Each structure stands twice: as C-alpha cells, then as structure tokens.
Amino acid sequence: MINMENMVICRCEEVTYGELLSTAKEHKCTARELKLRTRAGMGFCGGRTCRVSVDKIIENTVPNASAGDILLKYQPPVRPVTFGSVGENQ
Amino acid sequence: MSDVIVIGAGPAGLAGAIASASNGLSVTVLDEFIKPGGRLLGQLHQEPSGEWWNGMKESERLFLEANNLSVDIRCGVSVYNLEKDENLWNVHTNIGTLTARYVLVATGAAEYPVPVPGWTLPGVMSIGAAQVMTNVHRVQVGKKGIIIGANILSFAILNELQLAGINVDRIILPEKNSISGKAGEPEEVLKTLLHAAHLAPSPLMRFGSHFMKNNWLRKMAIHFYPKSGMKVNGTPLQLRIAAVEIVGKEQVEGVKVANTDAAGQVIPGTEVLYEADFVCIAGGLYPLAELAAVAGCPFEYIPELGGHVPCHSETMETPLGGLFVAGNITGIESGKISMAQGTIAGIAIANHAGKVSSTIDQQLQQAVQQVRSVREQATIQFNPEIDKGRSKMKEIWETKFAPLDKEYSHKKIV
C-alpha cells in the first residue's frame, strides 16, 4: 500500500513526501536547502513537476522561510538538451 | 535576423507578434508545440452571453493574421536559455542560437500537481493533460474518471470533457497535508468557489452564493454538506470526500476515499473504493517564468497573480532593456487578457524600436485600456483578487523601476 509517507514527490529523483517533511522539520531550512539535502527538484525535468510541492512543504512547515525571492533558482538549460546542442559544435 | 523574437505562440505571443509586425517590425515566433495556439487550442466553452468561445478557431484567426504580416512562425522549437550580449538578446534553441534586439517572453503558465499516494500510476494525469488529449489530440482519456481538486480550472475542463462525451464520475478533494493545504479544506474550497459564484456558468456555484458569504452560514453549509455531493452539470462535487490513495496494479483501477470533517481531517473507518480508469489531478496554474529568470529579470512574489512573476510595467516592459513579457507569465488570467497584453507588448516594442508613427502613443493607451476593460468583463477569474495583484505589481514598478527610466514620464499611461 502506498501511504502519504512513501508517496513520491520528486519523480525524477524519487524523493518521498516523508523524506521531505522530516528533513524540513529537522533542519527548519529554506526550499533551496531542502532541495540540496534531498535532491528533490534536481532531476531531468528541472523541477517542473515538484517545484511547487517543495515550496509548499517549506511554506507550511517552516513559517517565514520563503519570502519574495525565488529560492529554487532556475539555471540553463531550462529544457533537456543534448550535449551536442549546447557544446562548441552547434 | 529579426527585430523581435517572440517565445511562445499562444494568445499573448501571437497578438504581440501581430502588433509588432503591423508597426513595421520583422518578427520570429518560436513555440515548442507542433502547432501554434498554445493553450487556446484546448479551450471550448459557452459564455454567459450564450456565445461560444472556440479557442481552436481563435488560434487559427491569429495564425492567419500573423501569416499575412509575414511573421515567421517556427513550431517544434525549444528555447533553453536566454541571455543578453551587448545590445542583442541571444535566444538559445534546439535549432541553434537566434538573436534579436527585442524579445517577448510569452511562455504562459504551467500546472502544478497536488500529489496523492498512487499518483505515479499510468492513467493519472493533470486536468490540463486531459483537456489537451480531448480537445487537441481527440483521444479519449478513459471511460470513467475522477477529478481530484475543486477549482475554477477543474470546473472549466470538466465541462469540456462532458461536451466530448467523457464520463466524469465525480469531483473530490485531495487529502489535506502540507502540500495540498487549503485545497484539502472543504470550507476554504467552498469559499473560493463562492468567490467566483456570480461569474460562474454552473448553477451550483451560483447556488446560494449571496447568503453563503456569511461565515457562519458557510460553516453550517459545510457541516451539512451532503456526502453524495451536489451536482455540477450532472457530476457530483463531493467537498467532504478526500482522495486517500489512487489504486491499481498496472494502471488506475480506482480511488480509495474517506469522509472528512469540515476542516478536511479524514474520519477513520469511512474508507471506500470508487472505481475509475482515469484520474485527473487539478492543482492549479503558476506563471512559467523560467526563461525570464535565467535572463536575470527581477521577480516579485504576488500570490494573487499565481506566484513569482517577473517585474513588469503596465506596458509590459521588464527592467532588462529589450525584454518584454505578456500573458500568463505575468499572472494567471484568461486567454482574452493574454491577447490584450500581447497587443500592448507588441506596440510597446515598436515604440522602443523607434517605429514612431503618429498614432503609436494612442495605440498604446488604447491597448492598456483594453486590458482593463476585458478584465472587468471577464466571466471567469482564476484569482478573485486579481486586481489587487495587478495593482501591487504596478506599485512595485513605479517605486522601484520607473524612477530609473528617464523617459518614463513620457510613457506613463493614466
């Protein structure tokens, strides 16, 4: 049976809700730190799927940790691309 | 090299391309999808006036108009980076790097899911995916579905699925947790639905919306809300039922649900299984602003607009020279607003490029007024406090960025 605890949140890196929640509670950290500690949002899709979930976990468990800034920053390439297309020989 | 590169061929991007091209600029439009139109392609609904909004037709109209103005529209192109080099913007794509003095980022919005145990099973999709499969690809998503999440987006798409003859068995809420938050609280959900009540096409949302504005009555309404739900166009909306787990071996076979109290807490021992072969999760939309972010544009967190949005003026310019935004990247609203914003951006770009015709100031004024009047007449508002969000951004622009712009006093729109 799948319960809330073992439900996958970051599908690329297979990080569970339980793992994210306990890490957030233990370290009372920012969304960025939560990402770095668990790898949630660091996979193939670039966090498109779980970014909002990771932000919300922090918003609801660590009050005032996330204010105006984008904490989970965006980095190029914002789409999956081949090495060939970003390299010298494009 | 074009004068302008527009990223996104949805309502905002196409309208922007048309406005720039009509003012004498050469324009290239890039889009990731196989055909232009963006999210217009999936939209089909009847306005309270009785008129039908057919997004597919609207996108065809925009495409033809752009084509007549020799706009170069390239589909199937993904932009993965955006950066400025001296005076030119470099737009990095899977077909190489394109350059232009002006870039309009009109990338729209993305959906966010509300994860439910079992949501990784085949047969579970976002509500927007069900819309695209149904109205764009004409693929039947399944025989019997359940929607998890009650909001304006899920109601609109429910209606489209019904029009296509797809059986949606019921709408239920996600279980309350640290991610679902208010989307899992019956009273909060009722409150947001009632906010839209006077605008909503559905009888349920109109039902009692007046007296339900009262807090005490709303609490009573939730307390006595029937377990079997109230019907929205024939589909039960069950605010006191939460999805506990989506079950199935190889694919979706059903959803295990439980009754909840008025605050959304699951009542133990009330679990039952509803059969279904597809499940749509309706979380919501957020501005898809990743390209503006990698370009280095300053952002502001404005919940009424749907989250983090790039700072922009009422004429759609960002603090970065030559970079403009329009559409849902600036805040979640309807396609009509996106089009009107695109028009502003297109004219503003022509203005910056020095294509000064005698009418350009007037055009710009009219375009800004147009957005305001479309907003006033909107039938559906994703966020009831959209005006507040727009005012916040305007104020931020006027205090933080406008003073840095020497020409601003000439460009101010009143």
Side-chain angles (χ1 to χ4, degrees):
Chain A
M1 197 194 103
I2 307 167
N3 52 31
M4 205 84 93
E5 188 71 15
N6 60 19
M7 160 173 76
V8 169
I9 300 298
C10 171
R11 299 172 74 149
C12 303
E13 296 287 321
E14 300 193 340
V15 186
T16 63
Y17 179 71
E19 199 181 336
L20 287 165
L21 200 63
S22 62
T23 308
K25 282 180 178 161
E26 187 186 340
H27 297 282
K28 308 221 175 317
C29 56
T30 60
R32 179 171 149 74
E33 189 177 332
L34 184 59
K35 175 187 89 169
L36 295 171
R37 285 186 181 278
T38 61
R39 288 199 60 79
M42 295 175 79
F44 182 82
C45 85
R48 261 204 185 185
T49 313
C50 68
R51 161 185 293 272
V52 171
S53 299
V54 171
D55 275 336
K56 283 194 173 168
I57 287 173
I58 292 301
E59 201 180 305
N60 292 322
T61 50
V62 190
N64 305 321
S66 310
D69 283 339
I70 295 183
L71 285 156
L72 296 177
K73 77 169 185 172
Y74 290 97
Q75 293 179 97
V78 298
R79 279 294 177 287
V81 285
T82 61
F83 278 114
S85 62
V86 291
E88 293 291 312
N89 305 321
Q90 52 182 283
Chain B
M1 190 181 90
S2 298
D3 298 317
V4 188
I5 293 173
V6 178
I7 306 169
L14 288 177
I18 290 166
S20 277
S22 328
N23 280 291
L25 296 176
S26 61
V27 184
T28 299
V29 180
L30 308 174
D31 196 283
E32 203 167 40
F33 196 55
I34 45 175
K35 59 183 191 179
R39 292 315 292 264
L40 276 179
L41 295 172
Q43 293 173 5
L44 182 65
H45 63 256
Q46 198 170 15
E47 310 262 316
S49 65
E51 252 177 281
W52 283 85
W53 174 257
N54 183 338
M56 195 85 83
K57 277 205 178 129
E58 287 298 319
S59 66
E60 263 168 36
R61 183 182 62 77
L62 290 169
F63 173 70
L64 287 176
E65 201 177 337
N67 233 3
N68 287 339
L69 292 161
S70 304
V71 172
D72 179 14
I73 301 178
R74 301 192 203 172
C75 291
V77 177
S78 294
V79 178
Y80 65 81
N81 195 8
L82 177 63
E83 36 125 33
K84 200 173 184 183
D85 178 18
E86 304 275 326
N87 288 319
L88 292 178
W89 284 98
N90 292 320
V91 180
H92 300 281
T93 80
N94 61 331
I95 55 160
T97 300
L98 308 174
T99 55
R101 273 191 70 193
Y102 299 96
V103 169
L104 170 56
V105 185
T107 44
E111 277 188 276
Y112 60 87
V114 174
V116 172
W119 72 304
T120 47
L121 275 171
V124 183
M125 63 198 82
S126 74
I127 189 83
Q131 181 191 43
V132 171
M133 279 172 79
T134 305
N135 286 348
V136 182
H137 299 295
R138 309 289 162 108
V139 172
Q140 186 180 7
V141 287
K143 292 197 171 67
K144 186 181 179 187
I146 292 175
I147 296 177
I148 302 175
N151 49 48
I152 298 294
L153 186 68
S154 64
F155 280 29
I157 300 177
L158 164 70
N159 198 243
E160 295 175 357
L161 295 174
Q162 287 170 333
L163 284 170
I166 293 182
N167 174 21
V168 179
D169 192 47
R170 60 191 75 234
I171 303 177
I172 57 178
L173 298 192
E175 186 178 349
K176 188 179 160 182
N177 61 33
S178 297
I179 298 175
S180 63
K182 286 180 179 173
E185 298 174 15
E187 205 197 330
E188 288 297 326
V189 173
L190 185 65
K191 207 154 105 187
T192 60
L193 293 180
L194 290 173
H195 256 296
H198 63 294
L199 308 163
S202 110
L204 174 100
M205 289 194 284
R206 284 199 296 272
F207 159 84
S209 67
H210 258 318
F211 72 85
M212 299 269 271
K213 293 262 160 73
N214 176 305
N215 270 335
W216 181 80
L217 283 169
R218 204 170 51 235
K219 279 192 170 54
M220 292 301 283
I222 278 297
H223 191 75
F224 290 110
Y225 195 87
K227 288 281 177 293
S228 56
M230 288 182 185
K231 290 195 171 171
V232 185
N233 290 333
T235 297
L237 167 67
Q238 295 176 303
L239 294 179
R240 295 281 300 275
I241 303 278
V244 176
E245 185 189 354
I246 302 167
V247 293
K249 271 210 179 77
E250 302 289 325
Q251 60 187 61
V252 172
E253 290 167 24
V255 180
K256 197 166 90 185
V257 306
N259 295 347
T260 61
D261 63 19
Q265 292 299 336
V266 163
I267 300 166
T270 58
E271 289 88 353
V272 288
L273 183 77
Y274 291 145
E275 279 179 26
D277 67 348
F278 73 98
V279 170
C280 302
I281 295 183
L285 299 166
Y286 69 97
L288 186 60
E290 44 198 12
L291 284 171
V294 295
C297 186
F299 273 72
E300 205 66 47
Y301 180 69
I302 303 182
E304 295 88 353
L305 299 181
H308 287 97
V309 289
C311 293
H312 61 278
S313 71
E314 216 175 7
T315 52
M316 300 293 135
E317 61 195 315
T318 71
L320 306 182
L323 188 73
F324 292 73
V325 288
N328 272 359
I329 186 175
T330 71
I332 307 302
E333 285 192 85
S334 75
K336 284 184 185 172
I337 294 276
S338 297
M339 263 186 234
Q341 288 180 321
T343 303
I344 298 179
I347 299 168
I349 290 170
N351 197 14
H352 274 260
K355 293 279 175 188
V356 187
S357 72
S358 54
T359 61
I360 202 134
D361 280 336
Q362 199 190 346
Q363 280 186 54
L364 204 51
Q365 295 264 4
Q366 277 174 358
V368 172
Q369 290 301 337
Q370 176 67 9
V371 168
R372 294 179 187 160
S373 73
V374 173
R375 187 170 294 133
E376 276 165 25
Q377 292 157 23
T379 49
I380 285 181
Q381 209 53 271
F382 286 92
N383 191 303
E385 299 193 84
I386 188 77
D387 275 325
K388 194 171 144 197
R390 294 291 178 194
S391 304
K392 272 190 198 170
M393 178 50 79
K394 199 176 167 195
E395 203 186 310
I396 288 162
W397 181 268
E398 275 163 13
T399 51
K400 274 198 196 165
F401 302 105
L404 306 174
D405 185 349
K406 291 188 197 92
E407 293 167 57
Y408 181 73
S409 54
H410 301 293
K411 290 187 301 204
K412 191 167 183 178
I413 305 277
V414 280

